[in-house]
Structure formats: C-alpha cells, structure tokens
Amino acid sequence: MELDNQESAGKFERFLFLMIPIIFTLVLLGVLLTLFNMDIRNNVLTVANKIPIVEKWVPDPPADPALDDKQQAEEQAASSETTIKELKAKLADQNEILRKVTEEKAAQETQVKALQSQIKSIEESASAAKEDTVSEEDAYQNQVTNLAKLYAGMKASKAAPIMENLTTEEMVQIFSVMNNASKTAILEKMTPETAAEVSVKLKEITTSTDLSIAALQSRLKKQSGTTASTSGSSTNLDKEKLNQTFTTMPAAEAAKLLSEMYKISPDKVVTILSSVGDSVRSSILGEMTKNDSTQTAMVVNRLMGAK
C-alpha cells in the first residue's frame, strides 16, 4: 500500500512539474496579448471558419466596426451618386420642357404679329376703299349738280323740251338739286303730263343714291327698248355713254344695279362691263363680290367668253 501511494505521489509531482511551466507560459501570453490589444479570439474564429468541417462548430467572428463604417460610407456614397444622377435626369427633362414651351411661345408671338399685320392691312384697304367710294359718290353728285346748274342757267322755254327727252327718273334727279325758282320755271314750260309725273316723283324723293340708281335703271330700260339693229357708229356711241355713266357712278351703286340687272338680262351686264375701263370694271366687280361672289363668278365667266 505504501509503495502504491508513493508511486501515485511521484506521478502527480511529475505532472505538476510539467504543467506549471505550461500554465505559466499560457498566462504570460494572455497578459502580453491583452497589453498589445491583439484580438486572438476573432483571429482564431476567422481561421476556424475557413476549415470546412470545423466552421459548422464554431461561431462567426463579430464584424469589425471599422469595416462596417467603411461599408456604410461606400453604400451612402453610392446612394448619393444614384440620387445625383436621378436629379440630373429630372433637371434635363425640365430644361427640355422649358425649351419646348419657349419655342411654342415664340411661334405664337410670331403668329400673333402676322395676324395683327394682316388685320392692319385689311383695315387700311377697307379705309382706302371707303375713301375711294366716297370720292366717287362726291364726283358723281357734283356732276349732277353741275348739270342742274346748266339747265337752270338756260331759258325755261329751251330747257324744258330738252329735259323732256330724259327719263322721268333722270329729270327728278336733276330737279332734286335745283332751286325752287328754276324748278318752277322749267315745269311750267313742260307738257302737263310730264310735269305732273315729275312732280309726283319729286314728292317721293328718298336719298341721292336711290335717285342715281333709279335714273340709271330708267336710262338702261329706255335703251333696251330701242331696236337691236343699229349701225356701228350708234353702237359705239351707246357704249361710250355707258362708259361715261358707269365711270362717274360710285362703284358700290353700280355693283348693286348690275347685280339686279343680271337677274333680268345677263348679256346686258356683260356689255356694260365690257364698255368701261379696266379700273372701273375692277372696282365694280370688287363690290359685286362683296354682295354675291357666286353671281360675280358667273359674270366674269361670261366676260371671258364662256356661256
């Protein structure tokens, strides 16, 4: 028993003799690693996780805070770059929309200026045409007044038979601008029938324009009642009279009269327009177009020789 106890004590002593240096060494290494801040555990876990089978038994090493901060910074930088790209794309779209709006606005302003220029041109043309019409009316009325003065200056016994060769409407037109003394003297020398008819017409006077139209209509009606077979000289004389009549007559009134005549005798309208000058014909056709463009087109077609 004593021998057994001695052997056991000798083995334990040898064990302690061997383990004490080892334990001291391990403790010293632990102290040194702690002092130098070396993360042995994480390194051991990292190495262990690389071993195929052992990696299943050991936990993953904790993440390095420095690496996390770096990764977060990289992710934030990437997110910021993506946001900047999106903002740049939106800015480019807005600039494109602004450019299109600016171009459309410029086009609209150009169109408005063109329309304003057209309106101004139309207004100027209308004003010029109105002035021309007024001047033509004044010229025609002046001629009627001068003719009335001419008859008034003659002896009543000579003026009466001359005026009786005119139509009733023409006599009324002349009497309308004549003073009462001359008018009375000439009517006394006329036949009772003519004087009575003229007196009734004088009572129905409306405006100078209506008188002019009525006088011209009566003259044309009287001329249309003559025989169709006339000599070449007389035909030229009729055209000359027509030319003078429509040249001195305001274009608006002539157009109104010819429009009504066209419904009765289109050929006579063509004859009248053929006898006047180009400028007078242009003015009359312009006024006729305002009233009835379709009828005017038919008249121009006949003037060009078509049926």
Side-chain angles (χ1 to χ4, degrees), residues 148-149 151-156 159 163 175 177-188:
K149 290 179 180 180
Y151 284 116
M154 297 171 62
K155 290 183 178 182
M163 292 186 67
F175 278 132
V177 294
M178 194 179 290
N179 58 52
N180 290 331
S182 300
K183 191 185 305 182
T184 302
I186 295 174
L187 285 173
E188 288 177 351

Side-chain angles (χ1 to χ4, degrees), residues 28-47:
L28 180 61
L29 287 175
V31 171
L32 291 175
L33 291 175
T34 303
L35 292 175
F36 289 103
N37 197 19
M38 295 182 65
D39 194 356
I40 301 299
R41 180 176 180 279
N42 290 338
N43 293 333
V44 173
L45 292 176
T46 301
V47 173

Side-chain angles (χ1 to χ4, degrees), residues 8-25:
S8 298
K11 290 180 181 179
F12 181 71
E13 290 175 356
R14 285 195 299 271
F15 176 75
L16 291 177
F17 181 78
L18 293 174
M19 292 302 296
I20 287 173
I22 294 172
I23 292 172
F24 178 77
T25 302

